Amino acid sequence: MIVVIQRVSESSVKIDGKVKGKIGKGLLLLLGIEDADQQEDIEWLSKKIVNLRIFPDENEVMNRSILDIGGEILLISQFTLHASTKKGNRPSYIKASKPDFAVPMYEKFIETLQKDLEKPIETGVFGADMKVALVNDGPVTIIIDSKNKV
């Protein structure tokens, strides 16, 4: 699993012109799933995200997690994170999981993340054409690949 984490002061996702998910201060997560991903990737990544200390403390040092600040999460599925650009100019998405595998993994990730965050999260819709808006706070953007956890 690959996740792009963006610290935001606000973020939202629209589908067919209607707001599907909206948050204030917190994290926008863009999640890519591949066939090699397993439950342990979900669990590790979820714990890493909720404990990642990227919010400022009273001294403006990034020393607080989303749990510490009571922030919100907006999760968006994004298969293009697994794009291969080695050959030519047209990305290949062969590494990205097909919906029959990816949808259940995405749903398990939502469930695990909500449990670790100890409250519901906002989401987009898997496979939908989504319009994502955000105000990146910092800016702070971090990329984590669960295959690089060791």
Side-chain angles (χ1 to χ4, degrees), residues 67-85:
L67 291 171
D68 296 330
I69 67 151
E72 300 174 285
I73 291 178
L74 174 58
L75 175 66
I76 305 294
S77 62
Q78 189 170 350
F79 76 93
T80 60
L81 292 176
H82 285 290
S84 174
T85 57

Side-chain angles (χ1 to χ4, degrees), residues 57-71:
D57 63 16
E58 61 280 351
N59 298 315
E60 295 302 313
V61 175
M62 286 196 290
N63 202 27
R64 292 195 172 137
S65 72
I66 193 157
L67 291 171
D68 296 330
I69 67 151

Side-chain angles (χ1 to χ4, degrees), residues 8-126:
V8 298
S9 55
E10 62 183 71
S11 185
S12 64
V13 59
K14 288 183 179 180
I15 300 171
D16 295 328
K18 297 178 184 164
V19 175
K20 164 66 172 88
K22 183 175 181 176
I23 63 168
K25 186 175 184 177
L27 300 174
L28 168 63
L29 306 178
L30 305 174
L31 181 70
I33 299 168
E34 65 177 313
D35 289 343
D37 292 329
Q38 301 176 6
Q39 182 66 31
E40 70 179 46
D41 294 289
I42 292 171
E43 292 168 9
W44 180 85
L45 197 52
S46 179
K47 287 196 181 347
K48 178 63 87 172
I49 290 165
V50 300
N51 290 296
L52 198 60
R53 298 182 339 189
I54 59 173
F55 292 91
D57 63 16
E58 61 280 351
N59 298 315
E60 295 302 313
V61 175
M62 286 196 290
N63 202 27
R64 292 195 172 137
S65 72
I66 193 157
L67 291 171
D68 296 330
I69 67 151
E72 300 174 285
I73 291 178
L74 174 58
L75 175 66
I76 305 294
S77 62
Q78 189 170 350
F79 76 93
T80 60
L81 292 176
H82 285 290
S84 174
T85 57
K86 287 183 180 180
K87 292 180 5 182
N89 294 317
R90 186 168 163 175
S92 168
Y93 302 105
I94 197 161
K95 196 173 174 188
S97 290
K98 302 288 184 265
D100 62 326
F101 179 81
V103 170
M105 291 295 283
Y106 177 67
E107 291 171 352
K108 287 178 189 174
F109 190 81
I110 292 168
E111 181 181 310
T112 302
L113 194 55
Q114 288 180 146
K115 183 183 68 143
D116 289 342
L117 187 63
E118 301 173 353
K119 65 180 177 181
I121 66 168
E122 295 288 313
T123 67
V125 173
F126 189 95

